[in-house]
Amino acid sequence: MDAQLAREMYKEHILELFKHPHNKGKITSPTHKHEGTNPLCGDEVTIQLQIKDNKIEDVKFDGQGCAISIASVSLLTDHLKNKSVEEVMNMKAQELLDLLQIPISSVRMKCALLCLETTQKALE
């Protein structure tokens, strides 16, 4: 598969996640919660976590934002389930960017990384 075709497929996947995000909703009694915003783009995300025995049992998000922001939080919340708190706190931006699988411009970097920053703040 050529690189251009692959990029187009991943762009379609990002738009699909924007329209139908995974893990959107609320946890009744989260053990951890944090709200994050990106005033430059208008992205707002609230991350709710249910931690048991130092592992992420459940994770949900609520909020609004651009396609990159919503796709990113959807992919991240899928990725976090059953991870330890330590693994999440040590997660680097590149790991999330790798999940997105499309090039992210410097202008959109804050959109893509808002969910990781918000999740790590919830766990502090």
Side-chain angles (χ1 to χ4, degrees):
M1 179 183 321
D2 78 341
Q4 181 64 29
L5 180 59
R7 272 194 299 278
E8 287 305 315
M9 284 177 50
Y10 289 120
K11 284 181 187 177
E12 286 178 25
H13 183 62
I14 295 300
L15 289 174
E16 186 62 26
L17 287 171
F18 174 66
K19 292 176 191 169
H20 306 285
H22 303 169
N23 306 303
K24 186 162 184 172
K26 296 185 177 176
I27 295 174
T28 307
S29 298
T31 57
H32 297 73
K33 178 180 173 180
H34 193 76
E35 296 174 28
T37 59
N38 174 7
L40 297 175
C41 192
D43 302 323
E44 299 173 352
V45 66
T46 300
I47 300 287
Q48 295 181 328
L49 300 152
Q50 191 68 45
I51 309 289
K52 185 173 181 185
D53 298 326
N54 206 37
K55 290 245 185 229
I56 295 178
E57 247 186 15
D58 196 11
V59 56
K60 299 277 188 210
F61 82 93
D62 197 19
Q64 60 189 20
C66 67
I68 295 292
S69 175
I70 299 301
S72 184
V73 71
S74 182
L75 289 165
L76 179 67
T77 54
D78 282 343
H79 183 72
L80 294 180
K81 291 180 181 174
N82 299 312
K83 296 260 190 266
S84 72
V85 170
E86 184 180 12
E87 285 176 286
V88 178
M89 291 304 289
N90 290 326
M91 192 173 169
K92 303 290 183 229
Q94 190 58 52
E95 193 173 341
L96 179 54
L97 296 174
D98 290 347
L99 292 174
L100 281 165
Q101 298 184 46
I102 61 166
I104 303 294
S105 69
S106 59
V107 174
R108 304 309 296 238
M109 197 60 68
K110 180 93 170 134
C111 304
L113 298 178
L114 176 64
C115 60
L116 178 59
E117 177 185 305
T118 303
T119 301
Q120 289 174 331
K121 285 185 179 177
L123 292 171
E124 285 178 353

